[in-house]
Amino acid sequence: MAWVRTRIPARVLCLGVVIFAFNITSAVADYLLQPGDIVEVTVQGVPELKRRALIREDGYIPFPLIGSVEFANQTLLEVRNRICDVLTARDIVAFPDVTVDLIEVRPLYILGDVARPGSYPFKPEYTIRHAVALAGGLESASGRNRGGLFETVTLASEFETQRLDSVKQQARIRRLLAELAGKTTIDFGNLANLPDPDPLYAQIRSGEQRQLNNRQETMRHDRASYERSIEQASRQLEALEEQQKVEDLGLRQQTADVERIKGLSDRGLANSARLTEEQRSILLTKARLTSTMAQVAQVRRSIEELRRQVDKSEEVRRLDAVKELQDALVAAEASQLKLQIIGDRIGHVSLEGQSDLTSNGNHVKFVVYRKQEGKNLQFDGQAGTILTPGDVVEVAIARRSPSAGKSVLIDLAEPQTR
């Protein structure tokens, strides 16, 4: 589910009884709009009411004809229903058809000891780790501690990206193996048990399964199309062969009649004109028979060509899958090598920097400020804490005494929900 620039339809016809005619994910359906979100409202047949606007700090958006409408702490459906009620109550539109689209949600704000503090577009399942990476990594105001901290966070981000690529390649390999084996489901093995770092892994698996289903459906469709063509050609061949039999039988009968008439003519019992007419008729029948035989041969060749095309199409698909599998194996091996190299570098930098941090007594603290259901919340976060639209993350590289215990540079554990 993409938040930014993704249209989420919530169209319902207002005809006395509300008819739900939209199919959107529950997460978006339940999402409460907030100041800073961008929405677009369209009323069918009333172009002057179309409006794309930012929800103001007071939670309202002004509209011509109907005035200001409250959006804050409302779902898309609730806003749509409210606009429908106003349009109906004021006799502006008798049966309004209203669409409310969520165009863009509030950005994230990353402040404090990062390289580039500021606002950044929100994406689902973003964690504090992602936010810090977006802001260029950790960096104290004075520039001290930049080396180890910044490099560790950067490497951690690279590690996550490379691990995701590795899973993609492994899932792709398993899909191709299933395709070559003619299976309808993919055995993902241990990939099926990867819930981290976010639902992206599940999306990768479902995406590969959809691709396998689509390819098999295309193959079935193509085969069915060939089979229909072969069946039609076979029926045509059957009709032509029956016609050929009839014409061949007619030719034999006409030939016998000509022989009989010729015998009568030789004895003076039949005139030559009738003999000539019968001979001409034989020539026409032979021409038709020759044409029919040529059509029979052509249709037979067409059927054989269609059958060869079926075999060729399946062979081409198999060869393409084999080639793609070879490429995927090479890419997976390269991805695993990169993953190992980055992991080794993280271990080296962490060990190298840990001594300095311990001796200097430094540690990293994340504080999240969140507005939820009209309340302002504040809590300590970890690198894996999942963020929501409009969150403000304050990053601080602080000092504490050595007696406070060993500090952790940055928690590389998998994302946690808060």
Side-chain angles (χ1 to χ4, degrees), residues 114 116 120 127-138 153-154 157:
V114 290
R116 296 189 300 273
Y120 294 89
T127 65
I128 289 180
R129 181 188 295 109
H130 294 116
V132 172
L134 283 174
L138 297 172
V153 174
T154 301
S157 178

Side-chain angles (χ1 to χ4, degrees), residues 180-191:
L180 288 170
K183 296 180 180 179
T184 58
T185 57
I186 303 173
D187 179 11
F188 287 104
N190 59 356
L191 294 181

Side-chain angles (χ1 to χ4, degrees), residues 336-410:
Q336 286 290 336
L337 180 59
K338 291 179 182 178
L339 195 62
Q340 181 179 351
I341 293 173
I342 296 173
D344 292 343
R345 289 172 61 193
I346 288 177
H348 176 73
V349 172
S350 297
L351 290 174
E352 188 179 66
Q354 190 175 33
S355 174
D356 294 336
L357 288 172
T358 302
S359 62
N360 293 330
N362 295 329
H363 74 287
V364 181
K365 182 178 181 181
F366 305 109
V367 179
V368 179
Y369 300 89
R370 177 177 299 169
K371 188 172 184 179
Q372 184 172 307
E373 297 179 354
K375 299 179 180 179
N376 293 318
L377 305 179
Q378 174 183 339
F379 57 88
D380 292 339
Q382 299 179 4
T385 299
I386 295 178
L387 301 174
T388 63
D391 279 356
V392 178
V393 180
E394 186 174 6
V395 183
I397 302 175
R399 294 182 59 86
R400 64 180 179 182
S401 64
S403 60
K406 182 180 179 181
S407 63
V408 178
L409 176 62
I410 182 167

Side-chain angles (χ1 to χ4, degrees), residues 155-170:
L155 288 173
S157 178
E158 291 180 6
F159 186 85
E160 293 291 353
T161 301
Q162 197 59 50
R163 181 166 61 168
L164 185 63
D165 180 73
S166 179
V167 172
K168 286 181 180 179
Q169 297 301 335
Q170 292 293 333

Side-chain angles (χ1 to χ4, degrees), residues 110-127:
I110 302 98
L111 308 176
D113 292 332
V114 290
R116 296 189 300 273
S119 64
Y120 294 89
F122 175 82
K123 289 186 179 180
E125 302 300 326
Y126 258 12
T127 65

